[in-house]
């Protein structure tokens, strides 16, 4: 054969061979696709994908095979997601919270419906927190019934740590806190009444003041504070009144009046105190009148004494003057006699000399 004819025949044979090989590969790929579809129908997802991939290797230009692989992969993922969800629900029913959450989280990257799976995860986590909070809630209610306010509040606060989104728990905690405050207020009121009955006014007022800080309704507490303060004023007023009575009986009017005035400052409307003050003031007025009378008498007596003294002084002075005058007269007489004696003696001496 001519060389060109042989070449054409060789090329034709190669083409035929390639065509036959392509047909064979397409046929084999089609067999793999059929097997893959069968496995897909049986739910044998890995086997179906394996056969589709073998078919794709034989027929890489077949664009339908990658779409089927994607479909199978999606179906596999959805199936596995459903299995995880079903397992999670079963575990959730058994209150195996962490395992249920793990199953739901495993389903999340597999499914297209991520919102529903995310909601189940949120629900499981909330169910777990509610389960963890439940013993604390029950303990809180029990402790509250027993009147153990602080312990009840601690239990509710612990429950709130698990359920921070629960709006009822803060109200419950506040209700416990309010109940505790009311209980403490009642305790202070009872203690205040006891102190009041014992006449310990300051202690009673202090207890009532502590109750007022705690009580929601402060009006009754304020009434007891006013009553205690009034009782204290009345008691102190009576004490000053009794002290004044004792001083009045002892005739200490000024001191008695001071005590009665202190009593009136504490109990201004008491008629007995007003009467005692009037009595003391009358006594003081009488004492003052008597002092003035005695002072006038004393002044008259002093004046008389002064006049008598002046009279006696004048009489004594006159007597002294008369005595001194008499003495002077006597002295003058003695001097005259002495002069006379001397004169006589001189005359006698002169006569004797002359004789």
């Amino acid at each position: 054969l001519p060389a060109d004819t042989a070449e054409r025949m060789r090329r034709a044979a190669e083409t035929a061979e390639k065509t036959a090989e392509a047909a064979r590969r397409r046929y084999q790929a089609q067999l793999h696709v059929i097997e893959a579809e069968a496995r897909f129908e049986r739910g044998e997802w890995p086997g179906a994908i394996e056969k589709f991939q073998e078919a794709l290797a034989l027929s890489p230009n077949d664009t339908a095979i990658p779409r089927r692989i994607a479909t199978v992969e999606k179906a596999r993922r959805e199936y596995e997601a459903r299995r995880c969800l079903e397992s999670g629900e079963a575990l959730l029913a058994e209150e195996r919270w962490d395992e249920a959450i793990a199953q739901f989280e495993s389903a999340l990257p597999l499914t297209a419906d991520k919102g529903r799976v995310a909601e189940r995860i949120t629900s499981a986590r909330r169910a777990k927190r509610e389960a963890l909070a439940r013993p604390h809630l029950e303990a809180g209610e029990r402790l509250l019934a027993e009147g153990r306010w602080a312990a009840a509040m601690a239990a509710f606060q612990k429950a709130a740590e698990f359920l921070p989104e629960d709006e009822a728990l803060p109200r419950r905690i506040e209700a416990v806190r309010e109940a505790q405050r009311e209980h403490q207020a009642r305790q202070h009121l009872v203690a205040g009444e006891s102190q009041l009955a014992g006449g310990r006014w300051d202690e009673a007022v202090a207890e009532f003041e502590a109750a007022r800080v705690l009580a929601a309704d402060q009006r009754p507490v304020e009434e007891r504070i006013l009553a205690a303060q009034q009782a204290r004023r009345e008691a102190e007023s009576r004490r000053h009144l009794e002290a004044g009575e004792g001083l009045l009986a002892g005739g200490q009017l000024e001191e008695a009046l001071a005590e009665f005035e202190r009593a009136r400052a504490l109990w201004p409307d008491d008629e007995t105190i007003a009467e005692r003050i009037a009595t003391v003031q009358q006594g003081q007025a009488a004492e003052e009148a008597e002092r003035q009378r005695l002072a006038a008498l004393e002044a008259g007596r002093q004046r008389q004494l002064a006049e008598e003294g002046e009279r006696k002084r004048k009489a004594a002075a006159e007597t002294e003057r008369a005595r001194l005058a008499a003495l002077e007269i006597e002295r003058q007489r003695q001097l005259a006699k002495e002069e006379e004696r001397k004169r006589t003696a001189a005359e006698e001496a002169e006569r004797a000399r002359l004789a």
Side-chain angles (χ1 to χ4, degrees):
L1 293 175
D4 58 344
T5 302
E7 180 63 23
R8 284 196 299 273
M9 291 178 65
R10 186 185 64 77
R11 289 179 178 176
E14 288 179 355
T15 300
E17 185 179 352
K18 288 179 180 179
T19 300
E21 178 63 22
R24 186 186 64 78
R25 289 172 67 84
R26 284 196 300 274
Y27 175 72
Q28 292 292 328
Q30 188 61 36
L31 291 177
H32 286 307
V33 168
I34 292 170
E35 178 61 22
E37 293 292 352
R39 292 184 180 184
F40 176 65
E41 290 297 327
R42 293 195 301 271
E44 299 174 7
W45 320 108
I49 292 172
E50 179 183 356
K51 285 299 179 181
F52 277 129
Q53 288 174 340
E54 290 176 0
L56 185 62
L58 292 168
S59 184
N61 296 324
D62 189 344
T63 57
I65 295 174
R67 290 197 297 272
R68 291 302 295 156
I69 290 174
T71 299
V72 173
E73 180 63 25
K74 180 180 179 181
R76 182 189 66 79
R77 289 165 63 85
E78 289 295 335
Y79 173 76
E80 291 180 359
R82 283 196 301 274
R83 286 184 60 191
C84 290
L85 285 171
E86 290 170 0
S87 176
E89 294 295 346
L91 291 166
L92 195 62
E94 296 175 5
E95 298 187 352
R96 295 162 63 182
W97 318 112
D98 293 333
E99 296 172 69
I101 292 169
Q103 288 296 318
F104 291 144
E105 289 176 341
S106 297
L108 188 60
L110 298 172
T111 182
D113 190 0
K114 296 186 183 300
R116 184 171 71 90
V117 178
E119 185 276 328
R120 295 310 297 151
I121 292 172
T122 300
S123 296
R125 287 173 176 168
R126 178 172 177 80
K128 176 185 176 181
R129 293 197 306 272
E130 288 176 349
L132 293 172
R134 192 175 302 118
H136 298 292
L137 289 170
E138 293 172 354
E141 295 295 344
R142 184 183 70 256
L143 293 165
L144 183 61
E146 295 172 359
R148 297 165 62 185
W149 316 105
M153 192 180 305
F156 287 131
Q157 288 172 339
K158 188 64 178 178
E161 293 178 7
F162 293 109
L163 300 174
E165 73 281 4
D166 192 334
E167 297 179 356
L169 270 175
R171 293 194 295 271
R172 190 60 174 153
I173 291 170
E174 183 58 31
V176 174
R177 184 178 288 110
E178 185 63 28
Q180 181 184 27
R181 288 167 62 87
E182 289 296 328
H183 175 72
Q184 291 173 342
R186 286 193 297 272
Q187 287 181 322
H188 285 298
L189 280 172
V190 170
E193 295 294 346
S194 175
Q195 299 286 6
L196 189 61
R200 295 180 290 276
W201 321 113
D202 292 337
E203 292 83 350
V205 171
E207 291 290 350
F208 291 144
E209 289 286 358
R212 180 168 60 179
V213 172
L214 296 166
D217 185 2
Q218 295 184 351
R219 288 175 299 175
V221 183
E222 289 173 349
E223 291 175 359
R224 297 312 299 152
I225 290 173
L226 292 175
Q229 291 172 340
Q230 179 65 19
R232 177 175 60 187
R233 288 194 299 270
E234 291 177 358
E236 290 179 355
S237 178
R238 283 194 298 272
R239 181 170 58 81
H240 289 299
L241 181 61
E242 291 170 358
E245 295 284 4
L247 292 166
L248 182 61
Q252 298 174 262
L253 299 182
E254 185 175 351
E255 292 81 356
L257 181 61
E259 290 293 340
F260 290 144
E261 289 290 356
R262 294 188 186 98
R264 182 166 63 178
L266 294 166
W267 200 354
D269 299 329
D270 187 76
E271 295 180 357
T272 301
I273 297 172
E275 291 173 0
R276 291 296 183 274
I277 290 174
T279 299
V280 174
Q281 289 173 340
Q282 290 172 0
Q284 285 182 322
E287 281 190 348
E288 182 60 26
E290 180 63 16
R291 279 196 298 271
Q292 291 178 358
R293 186 185 70 79
L294 293 175
L297 290 174
E298 179 63 18
R301 189 178 70 83
Q302 292 297 328
R303 189 171 57 253
Q304 289 176 352
L305 288 173
E307 291 175 353
E308 179 65 21
E310 182 64 20
R311 186 185 62 77
K312 289 180 177 180
R313 187 186 63 77
K314 288 180 178 181
E318 185 63 28
T319 301
E320 181 64 18
R321 282 195 299 272
R323 186 182 68 81
L324 291 174
L327 289 174
E328 180 63 23
I329 292 170
E330 179 63 25
R331 189 178 67 80
Q332 291 297 327
R333 189 176 63 80
Q334 290 295 331
L335 288 173
K337 287 175 65 176
E338 182 63 24
E339 286 295 326
E340 181 61 26
R341 186 184 64 77
K342 288 180 178 180
R343 186 181 62 76
T344 303
E347 288 178 352
E348 289 179 354
E350 182 62 27
R351 279 197 299 271
R353 184 184 69 78
L354 292 177

